């Protein structure tokens, strides 16, 4: 299980004295615990693996946005810190699809659903997320879907 792997890797990083990796892994653990607390009152509990992946995807997206903002603002030292955290987060995510693979997946979904125009974007995005959600940056995919449907 991904949650257990993260816990074990945190202990290993602490024993190895890798402070940056330990800090990033502790941050991941804290975010997972936050999500657990949020879901205590929820009617339907998601699959644990899906919950951890969702937390990691959101953290990765936040890091990418922060890196862009820091680089635009000339704060390279902060951008480098975020890049180091992003590298640790990405270790636990499935391999991300390339742009060509994403375009091929969109084309397949487009033919499967019979989608033709911009009005079908919601259906295509929903199907894309259900098939490839964990291995795809949905914000990037949104632009590709829009191009494919226009």
């Amino acid at each position: 299980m991904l949650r257990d792997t993260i816990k074990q890797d945190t202990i290993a990083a602490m024993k190895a004295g890798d402070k940056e990796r330990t800090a990033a892994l502790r941050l991941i653990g804290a975010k997972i615990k936050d999500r657990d607390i949020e879901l205590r009152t929820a009617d339907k509990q998601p699959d644990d693996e899906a919950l951890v992946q969702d937390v990691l995807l959101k953290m990765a997206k936040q890091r990418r946005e922060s890196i862009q903002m820091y680089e635009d603002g000339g704060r390279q030292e902060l951008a480098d810190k975020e890049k180091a955290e992003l590298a640790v987060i990405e270790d636990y995510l499935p391999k991300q699809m390339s742009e060509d693979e994403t375009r091929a997946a969109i084309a397949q979904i487009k033919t499967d659903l019979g989608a033709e125009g911009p009005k079908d974007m919601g259906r295509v995005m929903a199907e894309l997320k259900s098939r490839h959600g964990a291995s795809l940056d949905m914000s990037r995919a949104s632009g590709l879907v829009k191009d494919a449907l226009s």
Side-chain angles (χ1 to χ4, degrees):
M1 251 169 89
L2 198 51
R3 183 186 297 252
D4 296 331
T5 304
I6 291 169
K7 286 179 185 177
Q8 292 168 355
D9 289 351
T10 303
I11 294 168
M14 288 186 329
K15 287 181 179 178
D18 188 348
K19 291 182 181 178
E20 288 83 22
R21 186 168 179 81
T22 302
L25 288 168
R26 283 182 171 164
L27 188 63
I28 292 169
K31 290 291 184 186
I32 293 170
K33 282 183 182 176
D34 286 348
R35 181 64 62 85
D36 288 342
I37 291 168
E38 286 175 22
L39 292 174
R40 281 185 187 164
T41 58
D43 295 334
K44 190 176 124 187
Q45 295 293 327
D47 173 49
D48 189 58
E49 205 69 12
L51 179 139
V52 173
Q53 274 193 346
D54 186 49
V55 168
L56 291 171
L57 285 169
K58 286 183 180 178
M59 289 179 74
K61 181 180 178 190
Q62 289 170 340
R63 296 302 172 286
R64 286 187 195 102
E65 290 170 356
S66 295
I67 290 167
Q68 184 65 45
M69 287 189 325
Y70 287 142
E71 286 177 344
D72 290 347
R75 300 292 309 265
Q76 193 57 43
E77 69 282 355
L78 293 173
D80 292 341
K81 182 178 182 288
E82 294 287 322
K83 285 179 185 176
E85 287 180 6
L86 179 61
V88 173
I89 293 166
E90 286 178 339
D91 286 346
Y92 299 98
L93 288 172
K95 180 186 167 288
Q96 296 292 298
M97 293 172 68
S98 70
E99 187 171 329
D100 292 336
E101 292 169 330
T102 304
R103 288 183 191 276
I106 291 169
Q108 180 64 45
I109 291 170
K110 189 175 161 186
T111 56
D112 290 352
L113 297 178
E116 296 175 7
K119 68 181 185 330
D120 296 318
M121 186 166 173
R123 288 187 340 171
V124 173
M125 287 296 293
E127 186 64 24
L128 188 64
K129 185 169 184 169
S130 71
R131 290 186 192 181
H132 307 285
S135 61
L136 193 59
D137 180 3
M138 294 307 289
S139 59
R140 226 175 4 147
S142 175
L144 297 175
V145 170
K146 189 180 267 187
D147 290 344
L149 292 175
S150 53

